Amino acid sequence: MKNDWNTRTKLVHAGTRRSQYGEVSESIFMTQGFVYETAEDAEARFVALGDDEFIYARYGNPTVRMFEDRIAALEGAEDAFATASGMAAVSGALTSMLKAGDHVVSSRALFGSCLYILEEVLGRFGVSVDFVDGTDIEAWKAAIGPQTRAVFFESISNPTLEVIDIKAVSALAHEVGAIVVADNVFATPIFQRSLELGADVVIYSATKHIDGQGRALGGVILGTREFIRGTVEPYMKHTGGSMSPFTAWIMLKGLETLDLRCRAQAQSASAIAEAVQGNAAVSSVIYPFLKEHPQNALARAQMQKGGTMVSLDIKGGQAAAFRFLNALEVILISNNLGDAKSIATHPATTTHQRLTPEQRASLGIGDGLVRISVGIEDTDDLIWDIMNALKAV
Ligand SMILES: *Cc1c(COP(=O)(O)O)cnc(C)c1O
């Protein structure tokens, strides 16, 4: 039997488990627990779980396992653990492997909640964390040392779309035996194969492209079977951040169309970046596959497409950015990303509001910066919407 199916085939079929009824669409096993024929069966299952056996939904569930197996097949990972949100995945992956005295090196340009875990939580438990400019390989080299147990980064940063050189950073980490954890949300599992590039553990907020329709929170941790079942699972199943079966079903159905959606979104994102580049109202357009992006060559070496996010630096600061946002007719003002609906965000006053102006400046988040998550609407309509709103600036 052929088992090296291409991506779209895996996204539709991988991991499917059918009940005795032979249902076509994946079943939602909305059950917290499982019944045993005999007391001896119960005892045996608590001693060792067989291949298709479950005991409690916090530990595992058939619908959740389908999602884990399907995304592991997509990513090319040995195994996956599904979590209640993207943040449960980030905190679970890090906390399950770290202990007091360990050292972590992380890129500085992080999602606010990731920064909270690294800066506030880990420190309280005696883990020291150094932050570096993720685009500066010399800074990684200087920060990674014999004490370093883990290296963390968002492979494409939010909202300035900086690109981490995964191969180079992983090589430095592996020299000292550190585990490389990549938050790959912005790059998407469709456009970047982070494990092949050298990462050991890959994390997604499934809330973003995987659901892709703004319905549910979810996350997933991918890695070797030893890491997922030996390190992550015991921690997650006892601390409670597991995914619900209903959410897993939403994410399974999201995976079926993930490749189609991401490709349509990336095509529009690229067309938008080209159309806006050079517009008089904009001081810069940030898109990894634009030749003006400072890491264009690295982005093209690592990614199959430039992704679904475009950031615009609008001349005239916050007032001009707000005029632009308020003039949009199709694109929504909100703060999710990866959604079928296009969404515009003003990071300085929303997602990155809590940072000081100095911190924002060091991350390149100016008052005129607008982040656009490109959806699956008609490309020409999206370009019209953006060009029309830029006239209002
Ligand atoms: C959204 C996001 C998260 C957190 O995911 P939730 O599902 O909201 O918990 C983590 N990392 C990145 C890069 C994100 O965009």
Side-chain angles (χ1 to χ4, degrees):
M1 193 177 143
K2 187 171 185 300
N3 58 12
D4 58 340
W5 302 106
N6 291 319
T7 298
R8 283 197 199 166
T9 310
K10 284 183 193 161
L11 285 172
V12 174
H13 293 291
T16 301
R17 288 164 186 249
R18 292 205 163 85
S19 77
Q20 71 272 31
Y21 298 113
E23 63 280 0
V24 171
S25 173
E26 296 78 358
S27 282
I28 309 173
F29 289 93
M30 207 69 211
T31 181
Q32 135 288 325
F34 304 84
V35 176
Y36 318 100
E37 288 290 323
T38 63
E40 288 78 7
D41 286 347
E43 182 188 26
R45 231 185 258 192
F46 272 79
V47 171
L49 275 182
D51 215 13
D52 206 21
E53 294 179 346
F54 300 91
I55 51 177
Y56 195 65
R58 178 153 44 73
Y59 291 27
N61 168 286
T63 312
V64 176
R65 189 59 52 80
M66 284 193 259
F67 169 66
E68 291 170 341
D69 288 349
R70 189 168 294 177
I71 191 155
L74 167 66
E75 192 72 32
E78 283 178 14
D79 215 334
F81 193 92
T83 59
S85 68
M87 286 322 304
V90 173
S91 65
L94 291 171
T95 319
S96 66
M97 76 161 107
L98 294 169
K99 60 177 186 330
D102 284 343
H103 175 241
V104 176
V105 182
S106 170
S107 60
R108 191 176 292 124
L110 294 179
F111 183 68
S113 302
C114 293
L115 198 62
Y116 175 82
I117 289 173
L118 285 149
E119 217 168 26
E120 309 274 330
V121 180
L122 293 181
R124 263 194 262 146
F125 295 93
V127 176
S128 64
V129 184
D130 280 321
F131 293 96
V132 298
D133 171 352
T135 64
D136 180 355
I137 199 67
E138 292 305 319
W140 284 105
K141 195 179 285 178
I144 294 171
Q147 291 298 108
T148 308
R149 171 99 174 97
V151 159
F152 181 79
F153 52 78
E154 291 175 15
S155 53
I156 305 278
S157 74
N158 170 27
T160 51
L161 311 183
E162 290 175 0
V163 184
I164 304 289
D165 187 337
I166 300 179
K167 251 186 212 164
V169 173
S170 300
L172 291 172
H174 292 157
E175 268 175 37
V176 299
I179 296 176
V180 177
V181 183
D183 180 333
N184 206 38
V185 167
F186 275 57
T188 82
I190 299 298
F191 298 138
Q192 184 167 281
R193 318 233 357 120
S194 298
L195 293 174
E196 282 170 20
L197 290 167
D200 302 296
V201 178
V202 174
I203 284 166
Y204 291 101
S205 163
T207 316
K208 313 296 167 53
H209 302 80
I210 294 171
D211 173 10
Q213 286 147 92
R215 299 166 294 192
L217 288 171
V220 65
I221 307 168
L222 297 121
T224 61
R225 176 141 306 129
E226 188 192 350
F227 182 74
I228 296 298
R229 296 299 154 195
T231 301
V232 171
E233 183 194 288
Y235 179 85
M236 293 305 300
K237 75 184 188 187
H238 294 304
T239 55
S242 309
M243 179 180 275
S244 110
F246 185 66
T247 298
W249 178 79
I250 289 174
M251 299 307 177
L252 266 169
K253 300 318 257 180
L255 282 179
E256 288 189 346
T257 57
L258 181 67
D259 186 89
L260 300 173
R261 284 184 286 108
C262 284
R263 282 180 199 283
Q265 287 166 267
Q267 196 184 357
S268 289
S270 171
I272 288 168
E274 296 285 350
V276 180
Q277 178 68 24
N279 186 290
V282 165
S283 58
S284 72
V285 180
I286 311 173
Y287 187 65
F289 268 30
L290 270 188
K291 63 180 188 309
E292 290 79 5
H293 191 287
Q295 297 166 289
N296 180 244
L298 174 62
R300 285 179 185 271
Q302 283 192 174
M303 291 173 72
Q304 236 190 70
K305 293 268 189 271
T308 68
M309 308 292 294
V310 182
S311 291
L312 311 178
D313 216 340
I314 296 179
K315 289 179 192 164
Q318 181 180 324
F322 276 24
R323 280 197 294 277
F324 170 76
L325 289 166
N326 293 336
L328 291 168
E329 294 181 22
V330 176
I331 301 173
L332 307 174
I333 303 172
S334 188
N335 41 263
N336 193 16
L337 63 100
D339 200 277
K341 296 178 171 68
S342 292
I343 288 172
T345 311
H346 186 246
T349 54
T350 61
T351 53
H352 293 71
Q353 189 196 132
R354 270 176 305 153
L355 301 184
T356 63
E358 294 73 37
Q359 285 173 316
R360 279 199 293 272
S362 80
L363 296 175
I365 304 171
D367 291 340
L369 193 75
V370 172
R371 185 190 82 183
I372 299 174
S373 168
V374 179
I376 62 171
E377 301 95 335
D378 182 87
T379 308
D380 293 340
D381 286 345
L382 293 176
I383 292 176
W384 182 90
D385 199 27
I386 290 168
M387 291 310 192
N388 185 58
L390 284 173
K391 286 185 206 148
V393 170

